[in-house]
Structure formats: C-alpha cells, structure tokens
Amino acid sequence: MSKVLKDPVHGEIELHPLCVKIVDTLEFQRLRFIKQLGCCYFVYPGAAHNRFEHCIGVCHLAGKLAQAIRDRQPDKINDRQLLCVKIAGLCHDLGHGPFSHMFEHFVNSFKGKNWKHEEASRKLVVRIYGHLKKEFKELGGLEQDDIDFIKDLIDPPEGLYQRAKDGNVEQKKDFFLYEIVSNATYGVDVDKWDYFARDSLHLGVKTSFDHDRLITSARACTDDDGVTHVAYREKVLDHVYEMFHIRYTLHRKAYQHKVNKAIELMISDAMGKANFVVGVDGYGKEITLSEAVDDLDAFRKLTDQFVLDKISEFSKEARELVDRIYKRKLYRFVGEKRIELQELNDEETVTQQEKTIQTEEQLRDELVGEKEGIKKHIKVQIAYFDYGAKDKNPVDKAYFYTKNEPDIAKHPDKVRYHPFIVVYMSKLNP
C-alpha cells in the first residue's frame, strides 16, 4: 500500500508502495540522524531538520513536476519513467556522510581526491535493490536496467548531453528526465526547490520564491539540436531569477556563516585527530573514519551523533575540541578578504582544488604577515557567494518557451535581464 505523510513544507505527501519499502530500509532510515544543514544547527537552533525529510520532499516534487509535464504531454513520460524519477528523488542524498558537505571536505583531505556524496548514493541504490529485488519487480516492474537509469538521474554522467545530441531519437526525447532531480544543464531542479523551501522555513529566512509557479508552466521542449529539456514559460523568467537569489541569500546568512565555518573547522579537526576505526573489511583490515566511504557497511554506521561520540572517545584532543563547541569557546574569526571570482578562474592550467590551496596560502600570508610564529594557528576557508554559476549569469543556460512556440526550447533573450526602460501607453478614451 501507499503511505500518506504530513510534511510541514508540502502538506500531505503520498508515497508509492515501492518508495515506502525503500524508506523502511536501514540505508534510508540512517538519514534521520544526519542534519540537513550540518553544523548550522549550532548557529541556528531551528535548523534541526534532517536529510530524511528532505529526501521525501524531493521525491514528492520530482513526481509532481514529472506528472505536470505528463498531464500536458502524455507521450513524454511513461509509468516506469515516472516511478524511476520519484525513486531518484528519494535516494539522491543517501550518500551524505555526517555533517553533510563538511564530511566530503574531510574525506578529500585524507584521500587526496574529489570524492562526492553522489558516489555513495549510487552505490547505496544498488545495495537497496539487492535487498528489495522482488519488491522492485512486483511493485514497480523495475529491473537492473532501471536501477542504472535511477543512478544516472541522481548523478548525470559527464558528457550526457553530448551523447544525447549525437544519439538516437529516444536519447534526445528522454534527456529532459535527467534535469528533474539533478539538473547539470542549467541548475533548476527539484532538489533545490525542496531545500530552499525547507531551509528557509527552519532558518526563519523569508523568501518569495514559489516552485509551484514553475511547475504549472513546465513542459518538455526541444532545442535546436533536437534534444528535449525541461523548459518553462517565458513569463516566469523572473521566478527563476528569484530562485537563484534565494540560493545566494541562504549562503550568505547560513551555509557560509562565519560561526558555522568555524564550527565546521573544529569538528573537521577533531575528526582528523581521532580518525577512529569504524569497522573491518572482508580481509580483516581496519577501516578508519576517513576510509569509510569505500566500505558501505562501515559507511552506514556514520551519523552526526555517532561521530561526535566516537571522536571524543578515541582522542583527548578531539574531545577537548568538541567540548569547546558545546561551551562556545570557538575558533576566532580573524578577518576576511573579498576576491572577484574572475581572479580564481584566470589560470585554466591548474585544478580548482589547486587554485583553492594556492589562494588559502596567499590569504594566510596577507592576514598574518611576517608573524611566522602564529601562522600555523591560522586556518583559511574560501566561501563562494554567487548565483550558482560562478561569475556567469545562471539563467543564460536555462530553457524557456513562448506561447506561440510551446514545444521549442530557447535560452532567454538577453534584453530581458539587462537594465532597460519600459514606456507604458494608455488610451485616454475607451
């Protein structure tokens, strides 16, 4: 049977019977104990919501957007695709570690590579399918090929658009499905819609963005290369701008808040000092916290409170750092320096990670000067404040359609977002 949940953001949410089975797995239930905003909870007491409810919200919105397109264009989405989109929304954040995005930075500082939570999400979807293969078949008619499709909906592979562009008619026709949960094309997707609404509610940040306004105009439209995209009516262009503006606002007020960044540094340092053993692999080798992403059994244990308790248990220095957080004896804010994004994008020969390291070292030198004795005590973090596309206009790559051409996907007319004057004329007599 399906299940109806009461959500503070979306009201009543009805889950498909297969989605109910997925929610009831240990892999999904773990998300109840991972804060959506990580360390922001130490700054904003209301930010106590978890990845669990966010994922259910994304499942709901993914189904709502896909169904809205299907209602207008019945030939675009079949039952199997609709269910796969819902499951992708439900499972897209399964791979988040404790304290969400902060854990990615911690792992990469040890592993020396760019690990992302989407990697673990893809693996955990396969693991859940292994548990529920019978239910996937009986409740949804889904097979292994559909699991591969769901994985790509969660994390679209690089070069997917080019393959669709050069591919067959079906690849071109179905490409818009990859823009619903995680839109790598132009960044407008239901994942953002849910966390903008949910985070704003729990943070107490006012917002005028309304995702329902976009859903009511969404269509699957074809671009000049024959590839189909999720496109919106041209008249809702301002709502898309508002979406990217609330993203900027939330980063300024919460996600990149200086106290939040200080606490992230402290917990990351504590995790590094402890780096405790989480489990043992099949060969008897111990798996540490920084290595847990490579072993799903070890990774499944990791939640916010589990890590805080364990690092305090395994290291005196780590325990002192955690105690300092509770007692509000935090790392002090030294200063800030604003850098134009273009300055970071000039050197194309180095990776973004190398650019970040170089800039952190440069900023440390500028802030501390010649005082070598205290330089080792200064840590620098770079916070990006943009509208989702670095130094570019995020709406440039979005797709819209007009009333007269409802099936043609086009980029917005640049005249619409440069400063302009409008002269209104009224006829005095009827």
Short mmCIF file of all heavy atoms in Angstrom, two decimals, residues 271-327:
data_model
loop_
_atom_site.label_atom_id
_atom_site.label_comp_id
_atom_site.label_asym_id
_atom_site.label_seq_id
_atom_site.Cartn_x
_atom_site.Cartn_y
_atom_site.Cartn_z
N MET A 271 37.79 15.31 13.96
CA MET A 271 37.70 14.07 13.20
C MET A 271 39.08 13.62 12.71
O MET A 271 39.41 12.43 12.72
CB MET A 271 36.74 14.24 12.02
CG MET A 271 35.29 14.36 12.44
SD MET A 271 34.19 15.03 11.15
CE MET A 271 34.30 13.80 9.88
N GLY A 272 39.89 14.59 12.29
CA GLY A 272 41.24 14.27 11.82
C GLY A 272 42.13 13.76 12.94
O GLY A 272 42.95 12.85 12.73
N LYS A 273 41.98 14.33 14.14
CA LYS A 273 42.81 13.90 15.27
C LYS A 273 42.42 12.50 15.75
O LYS A 273 43.26 11.70 16.16
CB LYS A 273 42.68 14.90 16.42
CG LYS A 273 43.30 16.27 16.13
CD LYS A 273 43.11 17.22 17.29
CE LYS A 273 43.63 18.62 16.97
NZ LYS A 273 45.09 18.61 16.67
N ALA A 274 41.13 12.20 15.69
CA ALA A 274 40.67 10.88 16.15
C ALA A 274 40.81 9.84 15.03
O ALA A 274 41.48 8.83 15.19
CB ALA A 274 39.22 10.97 16.61
N ASN A 275 40.18 10.13 13.89
CA ASN A 275 40.17 9.22 12.74
C ASN A 275 40.06 7.76 13.20
O ASN A 275 40.86 6.89 12.85
CB ASN A 275 41.43 9.41 11.88
CG ASN A 275 41.23 8.86 10.47
OD1 ASN A 275 40.11 8.72 9.99
ND2 ASN A 275 42.32 8.55 9.80
N PHE A 276 39.05 7.50 13.98
CA PHE A 276 38.90 6.23 14.67
C PHE A 276 38.52 5.10 13.71
O PHE A 276 38.11 5.32 12.56
CB PHE A 276 37.83 6.36 15.76
CG PHE A 276 36.50 6.81 15.25
CD1 PHE A 276 35.55 5.90 14.81
CD2 PHE A 276 36.18 8.16 15.22
CE1 PHE A 276 34.31 6.30 14.34
CE2 PHE A 276 34.94 8.59 14.75
CZ PHE A 276 34.01 7.65 14.30
N VAL A 277 38.64 3.89 14.19
CA VAL A 277 38.30 2.70 13.41
C VAL A 277 36.78 2.50 13.42
O VAL A 277 36.17 2.45 14.49
CB VAL A 277 39.01 1.44 13.96
CG1 VAL A 277 38.53 0.19 13.22
CG2 VAL A 277 40.52 1.60 13.84
N VAL A 278 36.19 2.41 12.23
CA VAL A 278 34.75 2.25 12.10
C VAL A 278 34.36 0.78 11.98
O VAL A 278 33.33 0.35 12.48
CB VAL A 278 34.21 3.03 10.89
CG1 VAL A 278 32.70 2.90 10.77
CG2 VAL A 278 34.60 4.51 10.98
N GLY A 279 35.20 0.01 11.31
CA GLY A 279 34.88 -1.41 11.10
C GLY A 279 36.08 -2.14 10.52
O GLY A 279 37.19 -1.63 10.47
N VAL A 280 35.81 -3.35 10.05
CA VAL A 280 36.84 -4.22 9.47
C VAL A 280 36.32 -4.75 8.14
O VAL A 280 35.16 -5.17 8.04
CB VAL A 280 37.18 -5.40 10.41
CG1 VAL A 280 38.24 -6.31 9.79
CG2 VAL A 280 37.65 -4.88 11.77
N ASP A 281 37.17 -4.73 7.10
CA ASP A 281 36.73 -5.22 5.80
C ASP A 281 36.80 -6.75 5.73
O ASP A 281 37.16 -7.42 6.71
CB ASP A 281 37.52 -4.57 4.67
CG ASP A 281 38.99 -4.98 4.66
OD1 ASP A 281 39.35 -5.96 5.34
OD2 ASP A 281 39.77 -4.30 3.96
N GLY A 282 36.49 -7.31 4.57
CA GLY A 282 36.46 -8.75 4.41
C GLY A 282 37.80 -9.44 4.54
O GLY A 282 37.87 -10.66 4.71
N TYR A 283 38.88 -8.64 4.49
CA TYR A 283 40.23 -9.19 4.62
C TYR A 283 40.82 -8.97 6.01
O TYR A 283 41.99 -9.23 6.24
CB TYR A 283 41.15 -8.56 3.57
CG TYR A 283 40.69 -8.80 2.16
CD1 TYR A 283 39.95 -7.82 1.48
CD2 TYR A 283 40.97 -9.99 1.51
CE1 TYR A 283 39.52 -8.04 0.17
CE2 TYR A 283 40.54 -10.22 0.20
CZ TYR A 283 39.83 -9.24 -0.46
OH TYR A 283 39.39 -9.46 -1.75
N GLY A 284 40.01 -8.46 6.92
CA GLY A 284 40.47 -8.23 8.28
C GLY A 284 41.18 -6.92 8.48
O GLY A 284 41.71 -6.65 9.56
N LYS A 285 41.21 -6.06 7.46
CA LYS A 285 41.87 -4.75 7.56
C LYS A 285 40.94 -3.74 8.22
O LYS A 285 39.76 -3.66 7.91
CB LYS A 285 42.26 -4.25 6.17
CG LYS A 285 42.98 -2.91 6.17
CD LYS A 285 43.31 -2.50 4.74
CE LYS A 285 43.99 -1.14 4.71
NZ LYS A 285 43.10 -0.04 5.18
N GLU A 286 41.48 -2.99 9.18
CA GLU A 286 40.68 -1.97 9.87
C GLU A 286 40.35 -0.81 8.94
O GLU A 286 41.19 -0.38 8.13
CB GLU A 286 41.45 -1.45 11.10
CG GLU A 286 41.60 -2.50 12.20
CD GLU A 286 42.31 -1.93 13.42
OE1 GLU A 286 43.04 -0.92 13.27
OE2 GLU A 286 42.13 -2.49 14.52
N ILE A 287 39.13 -0.33 9.08
CA ILE A 287 38.65 0.78 8.25
C ILE A 287 38.48 2.01 9.13
O ILE A 287 37.69 1.99 10.08
CB ILE A 287 37.31 0.43 7.59
CG1 ILE A 287 37.44 -0.83 6.74
CG2 ILE A 287 36.80 1.59 6.75
CD1 ILE A 287 36.12 -1.39 6.28
N THR A 288 39.22 3.06 8.85
CA THR A 288 39.13 4.27 9.65
C THR A 288 38.02 5.18 9.13
O THR A 288 37.45 4.94 8.06
CB THR A 288 40.46 5.04 9.62
OG1 THR A 288 40.74 5.45 8.27
CG2 THR A 288 41.61 4.18 10.14
N LEU A 289 37.73 6.21 9.88
CA LEU A 289 36.67 7.15 9.53
C LEU A 289 36.88 7.73 8.13
O LEU A 289 35.93 7.82 7.34
CB LEU A 289 36.62 8.28 10.57
CG LEU A 289 35.58 9.38 10.36
CD1 LEU A 289 34.17 8.80 10.36
CD2 LEU A 289 35.72 10.45 11.43
N SER A 290 38.11 8.11 7.82
CA SER A 290 38.38 8.72 6.52
C SER A 290 38.30 7.72 5.37
O SER A 290 38.22 8.11 4.21
CB SER A 290 39.77 9.37 6.52
OG SER A 290 40.78 8.43 6.81
N GLU A 291 38.32 6.42 5.69
CA GLU A 291 38.26 5.37 4.67
C GLU A 291 36.87 4.75 4.54
O GLU A 291 36.64 3.90 3.68
CB GLU A 291 39.27 4.26 4.99
CG GLU A 291 40.72 4.74 5.04
CD GLU A 291 41.66 3.70 5.64
OE1 GLU A 291 41.18 2.87 6.46
OE2 GLU A 291 42.85 3.72 5.30
N ALA A 292 35.95 5.16 5.39
CA ALA A 292 34.64 4.51 5.46
C ALA A 292 33.84 4.64 4.18
O ALA A 292 32.95 3.82 3.91
CB ALA A 292 33.84 5.07 6.64
N VAL A 293 34.13 5.65 3.36
CA VAL A 293 33.36 5.83 2.12
C VAL A 293 33.62 4.70 1.14
O VAL A 293 32.86 4.52 0.17
CB VAL A 293 33.71 7.19 1.46
CG1 VAL A 293 33.25 8.34 2.33
CG2 VAL A 293 35.19 7.29 1.14
N ASP A 294 34.67 3.93 1.35
CA ASP A 294 34.99 2.82 0.45
C ASP A 294 34.38 1.50 0.91
O ASP A 294 34.58 0.47 0.25
CB ASP A 294 36.51 2.66 0.34
CG ASP A 294 37.17 3.88 -0.29
OD1 ASP A 294 36.58 4.44 -1.23
OD2 ASP A 294 38.26 4.28 0.18
N ASP A 295 33.69 1.50 2.04
CA ASP A 295 33.07 0.29 2.57
C ASP A 295 31.66 0.64 3.05
O ASP A 295 31.49 1.35 4.05
CB ASP A 295 33.91 -0.29 3.71
CG ASP A 295 33.40 -1.64 4.19
OD1 ASP A 295 32.33 -1.66 4.84
OD2 ASP A 295 34.06 -2.65 3.93
N LEU A 296 30.64 0.15 2.37
CA LEU A 296 29.26 0.54 2.67
C LEU A 296 28.80 0.09 4.05
O LEU A 296 27.99 0.76 4.69
CB LEU A 296 28.31 0.00 1.60
CG LEU A 296 28.47 0.61 0.20
CD1 LEU A 296 27.42 0.06 -0.73
CD2 LEU A 296 28.37 2.14 0.25
N ASP A 297 29.32 -1.04 4.54
CA ASP A 297 28.94 -1.50 5.88
C ASP A 297 29.45 -0.53 6.93
O ASP A 297 28.76 -0.22 7.91
CB ASP A 297 29.50 -2.90 6.14
CG ASP A 297 28.76 -3.99 5.39
OD1 ASP A 297 27.53 -3.82 5.21
OD2 ASP A 297 29.39 -4.96 4.97
N ALA A 298 30.67 -0.04 6.75
CA ALA A 298 31.24 0.94 7.68
C ALA A 298 30.55 2.29 7.51
O ALA A 298 30.20 2.95 8.49
CB ALA A 298 32.74 1.07 7.44
N PHE A 299 30.32 2.67 6.27
CA PHE A 299 29.72 3.98 5.99
C PHE A 299 28.32 4.10 6.58
O PHE A 299 27.93 5.17 7.05
CB PHE A 299 29.68 4.20 4.48
CG PHE A 299 29.16 5.54 4.07
CD1 PHE A 299 29.95 6.68 4.16
CD2 PHE A 299 27.86 5.69 3.59
CE1 PHE A 299 29.46 7.92 3.78
CE2 PHE A 299 27.37 6.93 3.22
CZ PHE A 299 28.18 8.04 3.31
N ARG A 300 27.57 3.01 6.56
CA ARG A 300 26.19 3.03 7.03
C ARG A 300 26.08 3.38 8.52
O ARG A 300 25.04 3.85 8.99
CB ARG A 300 25.53 1.67 6.77
CG ARG A 300 24.02 1.69 6.75
CD ARG A 300 23.47 0.30 6.58
NE ARG A 300 23.73 -0.53 7.76
CZ ARG A 300 23.40 -1.81 7.85
NH1 ARG A 300 22.83 -2.41 6.81
NH2 ARG A 300 23.64 -2.49 8.94
N LYS A 301 27.16 3.18 9.26
CA LYS A 301 27.14 3.49 10.70
C LYS A 301 27.24 4.98 10.98
O LYS A 301 26.89 5.44 12.07
CB LYS A 301 28.31 2.80 11.40
CG LYS A 301 28.34 1.29 11.30
CD LYS A 301 29.59 0.74 11.97
CE LYS A 301 29.72 -0.76 11.82
NZ LYS A 301 30.98 -1.25 12.44
N LEU A 302 27.73 5.74 10.00
CA LEU A 302 28.11 7.12 10.27
C LEU A 302 26.92 8.07 10.30
O LEU A 302 26.24 8.27 9.30
CB LEU A 302 29.11 7.60 9.21
CG LEU A 302 30.40 6.77 9.06
CD1 LEU A 302 31.32 7.40 8.04
CD2 LEU A 302 31.11 6.62 10.41
N THR A 303 26.69 8.64 11.47
CA THR A 303 25.71 9.71 11.65
C THR A 303 26.37 10.82 12.45
O THR A 303 27.48 10.67 12.97
CB THR A 303 24.47 9.20 12.40
OG1 THR A 303 24.87 8.78 13.72
CG2 THR A 303 23.82 8.03 11.68
N ASP A 304 25.69 11.95 12.57
CA ASP A 304 26.26 13.10 13.28
C ASP A 304 26.66 12.73 14.71
O ASP A 304 27.80 12.94 15.12
CB ASP A 304 25.26 14.25 13.31
CG ASP A 304 24.96 14.81 11.92
OD1 ASP A 304 25.61 14.36 10.95
OD2 ASP A 304 24.08 15.67 11.80
N GLN A 305 25.71 12.22 15.48
CA GLN A 305 25.97 11.96 16.90
C GLN A 305 26.96 10.82 17.09
O GLN A 305 27.79 10.84 18.00
CB GLN A 305 24.66 11.65 17.62
CG GLN A 305 24.76 11.76 19.14
CD GLN A 305 25.19 13.15 19.59
OE1 GLN A 305 24.62 14.15 19.16
NE2 GLN A 305 26.21 13.23 20.44
N PHE A 306 26.88 9.80 16.22
CA PHE A 306 27.82 8.68 16.31
C PHE A 306 29.26 9.19 16.20
O PHE A 306 30.13 8.80 16.99
CB PHE A 306 27.52 7.67 15.21
CG PHE A 306 28.52 6.54 15.12
CD1 PHE A 306 28.40 5.43 15.94
CD2 PHE A 306 29.58 6.59 14.22
CE1 PHE A 306 29.32 4.39 15.86
CE2 PHE A 306 30.49 5.55 14.13
CZ PHE A 306 30.37 4.45 14.95
N VAL A 307 29.50 10.07 15.25
CA VAL A 307 30.86 10.58 15.04
C VAL A 307 31.30 11.45 16.22
O VAL A 307 32.42 11.33 16.71
CB VAL A 307 30.94 11.36 13.71
CG1 VAL A 307 32.25 12.14 13.62
CG2 VAL A 307 30.82 10.41 12.53
N LEU A 308 30.42 12.33 16.69
CA LEU A 308 30.78 13.19 17.83
C LEU A 308 31.12 12.34 19.06
O LEU A 308 32.09 12.63 19.77
CB LEU A 308 29.63 14.14 18.16
CG LEU A 308 29.46 15.36 17.26
CD1 LEU A 308 28.29 16.20 17.74
CD2 LEU A 308 30.73 16.21 17.23
N ASP A 309 30.34 11.31 19.31
CA ASP A 309 30.61 10.45 20.47
C ASP A 309 31.92 9.69 20.31
O ASP A 309 32.72 9.60 21.26
CB ASP A 309 29.46 9.46 20.66
CG ASP A 309 28.17 10.13 21.10
OD1 ASP A 309 28.25 11.28 21.58
OD2 ASP A 309 27.10 9.52 20.96
N LYS A 310 32.17 9.17 19.13
CA LYS A 310 33.34 8.34 18.91
C LYS A 310 34.64 9.15 18.92
O LYS A 310 35.65 8.69 19.47
CB LYS A 310 33.21 7.58 17.58
CG LYS A 310 32.23 6.43 17.64
CD LYS A 310 32.73 5.32 18.57
CE LYS A 310 31.80 4.14 18.59
NZ LYS A 310 32.27 3.06 19.51
N ILE A 311 34.64 10.33 18.32
CA ILE A 311 35.88 11.10 18.30
C ILE A 311 36.25 11.55 19.72
O ILE A 311 37.42 11.65 20.06
CB ILE A 311 35.80 12.32 17.35
CG1 ILE A 311 34.65 13.26 17.70
CG2 ILE A 311 35.71 11.87 15.91
CD1 ILE A 311 34.55 14.46 16.77
N SER A 312 35.23 11.77 20.55
CA SER A 312 35.51 12.13 21.95
C SER A 312 36.07 10.94 22.71
O SER A 312 36.88 11.09 23.63
CB SER A 312 34.23 12.62 22.62
OG SER A 312 33.74 13.80 22.01
N GLU A 313 35.66 9.76 22.30
CA GLU A 313 36.10 8.54 22.97
C GLU A 313 37.53 8.15 22.58
O GLU A 313 38.30 7.65 23.40
CB GLU A 313 35.14 7.41 22.60
CG GLU A 313 35.50 6.04 23.15
CD GLU A 313 34.56 4.97 22.64
OE1 GLU A 313 33.38 5.29 22.38
OE2 GLU A 313 35.01 3.81 22.49
N PHE A 314 37.92 8.42 21.33
CA PHE A 314 39.19 7.92 20.81
C PHE A 314 40.35 8.92 20.96
O PHE A 314 41.51 8.54 20.81
CB PHE A 314 39.06 7.55 19.33
CG PHE A 314 38.53 6.17 19.12
CD1 PHE A 314 37.16 5.93 19.18
CD2 PHE A 314 39.37 5.11 18.88
CE1 PHE A 314 36.65 4.67 18.99
CE2 PHE A 314 38.87 3.83 18.69
CZ PHE A 314 37.51 3.60 18.75
N SER A 315 40.06 10.19 21.22
CA SER A 315 41.15 11.17 21.27
C SER A 315 40.85 12.26 22.29
O SER A 315 39.78 12.87 22.26
CB SER A 315 41.34 11.80 19.87
OG SER A 315 42.18 12.93 19.95
N LYS A 316 41.80 12.50 23.17
CA LYS A 316 41.64 13.55 24.18
C LYS A 316 41.59 14.91 23.51
O LYS A 316 40.77 15.76 23.87
CB LYS A 316 42.80 13.49 25.17
CG LYS A 316 42.72 14.57 26.25
CD LYS A 316 43.91 14.51 27.19
CE LYS A 316 43.84 15.64 28.21
NZ LYS A 316 45.01 15.64 29.12
N GLU A 317 42.47 15.14 22.52
CA GLU A 317 42.48 16.42 21.82
C GLU A 317 41.15 16.65 21.09
O GLU A 317 40.61 17.77 21.10
CB GLU A 317 43.62 16.45 20.81
CG GLU A 317 45.00 16.53 21.42
CD GLU A 317 46.08 16.57 20.35
OE1 GLU A 317 46.38 15.50 19.78
OE2 GLU A 317 46.59 17.67 20.05
N ALA A 318 40.64 15.59 20.47
CA ALA A 318 39.36 15.71 19.77
C ALA A 318 38.24 16.00 20.76
O ALA A 318 37.35 16.83 20.49
CB ALA A 318 39.07 14.43 19.00
N ARG A 319 38.26 15.33 21.90
CA ARG A 319 37.23 15.56 22.92
C ARG A 319 37.26 17.00 23.40
O ARG A 319 36.21 17.62 23.61
CB ARG A 319 37.42 14.60 24.09
CG ARG A 319 36.35 14.75 25.18
CD ARG A 319 36.41 13.64 26.21
NE ARG A 319 37.66 13.66 26.97
CZ ARG A 319 38.63 12.77 26.84
NH1 ARG A 319 38.52 11.78 25.96
NH2 ARG A 319 39.72 12.84 27.57
N GLU A 320 38.44 17.57 23.56
CA GLU A 320 38.56 18.96 24.00
C GLU A 320 37.96 19.92 22.96
O GLU A 320 37.32 20.91 23.33
CB GLU A 320 40.04 19.29 24.25
CG GLU A 320 40.61 18.61 25.49
CD GLU A 320 42.11 18.83 25.64
OE1 GLU A 320 42.73 19.37 24.68
OE2 GLU A 320 42.66 18.46 26.69
N LEU A 321 38.17 19.61 21.68
CA LEU A 321 37.59 20.45 20.63
C LEU A 321 36.07 20.38 20.64
O LEU A 321 35.38 21.40 20.50
CB LEU A 321 38.13 20.03 19.26
CG LEU A 321 39.52 20.53 18.88
CD1 LEU A 321 39.98 19.88 17.58
CD2 LEU A 321 39.52 22.04 18.73
N VAL A 322 35.52 19.19 20.82
CA VAL A 322 34.07 19.03 20.86
C VAL A 322 33.50 19.75 22.09
O VAL A 322 32.47 20.44 22.00
CB VAL A 322 33.68 17.54 20.89
CG1 VAL A 322 32.18 17.37 21.11
CG2 VAL A 322 34.10 16.86 19.59
N ASP A 323 34.17 19.63 23.22
CA ASP A 323 33.72 20.31 24.43
C ASP A 323 33.73 21.83 24.22
O ASP A 323 32.85 22.54 24.72
CB ASP A 323 34.61 19.94 25.62
CG ASP A 323 34.37 18.51 26.10
OD1 ASP A 323 33.35 17.92 25.70
OD2 ASP A 323 35.22 17.99 26.85
N ARG A 324 34.73 22.31 23.51
CA ARG A 324 34.81 23.75 23.24
C ARG A 324 33.62 24.23 22.42
O ARG A 324 33.12 25.35 22.61
CB ARG A 324 36.11 24.08 22.51
CG ARG A 324 37.33 24.13 23.41
CD ARG A 324 38.58 24.47 22.61
NE ARG A 324 38.45 25.72 21.89
CZ ARG A 324 39.39 26.22 21.09
NH1 ARG A 324 40.53 25.56 20.90
NH2 ARG A 324 39.21 27.38 20.48
N ILE A 325 33.15 23.38 21.50
CA ILE A 325 31.97 23.75 20.70
C ILE A 325 30.75 23.91 21.59
O ILE A 325 30.02 24.89 21.50
CB ILE A 325 31.72 22.70 19.61
CG1 ILE A 325 32.86 22.70 18.58
CG2 ILE A 325 30.38 22.96 18.90
CD1 ILE A 325 32.79 21.57 17.58
N TYR A 326 30.55 22.93 22.49
CA TYR A 326 29.40 23.00 23.38
C TYR A 326 29.48 24.19 24.34
O TYR A 326 28.46 24.77 24.71
CB TYR A 326 29.28 21.70 24.17
CG TYR A 326 28.90 20.50 23.35
CD1 TYR A 326 29.53 19.27 23.51
CD2 TYR A 326 27.89 20.57 22.38
CE1 TYR A 326 29.18 18.16 22.76
CE2 TYR A 326 27.53 19.47 21.62
CZ TYR A 326 28.19 18.28 21.81
OH TYR A 326 27.83 17.18 21.05
N LYS A 327 30.70 24.55 24.73
CA LYS A 327 30.89 25.67 25.66
C LYS A 327 31.05 27.01 24.94
O LYS A 327 31.28 28.03 25.58
CB LYS A 327 32.14 25.42 26.52
CG LYS A 327 32.01 24.22 27.44
CD LYS A 327 33.31 23.96 28.19
CE LYS A 327 33.20 22.74 29.10
NZ LYS A 327 34.49 22.45 29.80
#
